Amino acid sequence: MRKLSLTLVLVFVLTGVVWADEPVQASGRGFFGFAGVTDESSELLFHMGGGGEGKLVGGLGVTADLGYLFSREGFSGGIGLFSPGLIYHFNRDSRTTPFLTGGYTLLFRDGVANLGFGGGGVDHWFKERLGLRFEFRLHVRSEGLAEGRIAFLFR
């Protein structure tokens, strides 16, 4: 857990150092969602967590999420997910901005598994500092983990 926290801090600090001539626009989020494995099983999973992102240049930015995936049986059988990646926002001058995102996902519990992820969605800012995100992600290895999320955004 200590390495994950350090990684998150480094992503945002290095982003500020690399693009020091332009202030980093950062935002945070808390999310919840539903997920399912894209194989024959039909188990519904729940995902909750938080994350953030920082703008690099134009619509391009870095993003990172840390979450917990669990079933109806409760928290005890769940797994952790850490997903750093890139994000690109379109139509940035609007209150409603569609985006595409992709990167790496680390699943961890007793061991680890490495996956890639891709997805997209839309952010809608109600006020300058408060918004809502609707997002779909697909985490892929030999089988996929598809999820839909709703996130509360803040700056």
Side-chain angles (χ1 to χ4, degrees), residues 89 96-99 120-124 132-136 153:
H89 285 273
T96 302
T97 59
F99 65 89
V122 64
D123 291 345
H124 180 76
L132 196 61
R133 170 177 285 184
F134 297 95
E135 180 177 5
F136 174 80
L153 305 172

Side-chain angles (χ1 to χ4, degrees), residues 27-130:
S27 64
R29 64 184 160 270
F31 65 84
F32 64 92
F34 301 98
V37 179
T38 59
D39 63 6
E40 293 81 37
S41 70
S42 59
E43 184 176 19
L44 179 64
L45 302 170
F46 304 96
H47 190 192
M48 62 184 214
E53 64 189 62
K55 177 184 168 188
L56 293 176
V57 63
L60 185 64
V62 293
T63 181
D65 290 339
L66 183 59
Y68 193 69
L69 191 66
F70 58 97
S71 69
R72 289 184 291 185
E73 297 172 9
F75 287 103
S76 62
I79 56 174
L81 281 84
F82 173 62
S83 299
L86 295 174
I87 189 165
Y88 187 84
H89 285 273
F90 301 91
N91 196 23
R92 294 174 308 280
D93 296 330
S94 174
R95 290 175 49 183
T96 302
T97 59
F99 65 89
L100 292 175
T101 185
Y104 166 77
T105 296
L106 174 70
L107 297 178
F108 57 94
R109 184 172 169 84
D110 296 330
V112 297
N114 300 298
L115 294 86
F117 81 88
V122 64
D123 291 345
H124 180 76
W125 292 93
F126 297 105
K127 297 183 177 185
E128 183 180 336
R129 298 185 168 269
L130 184 63

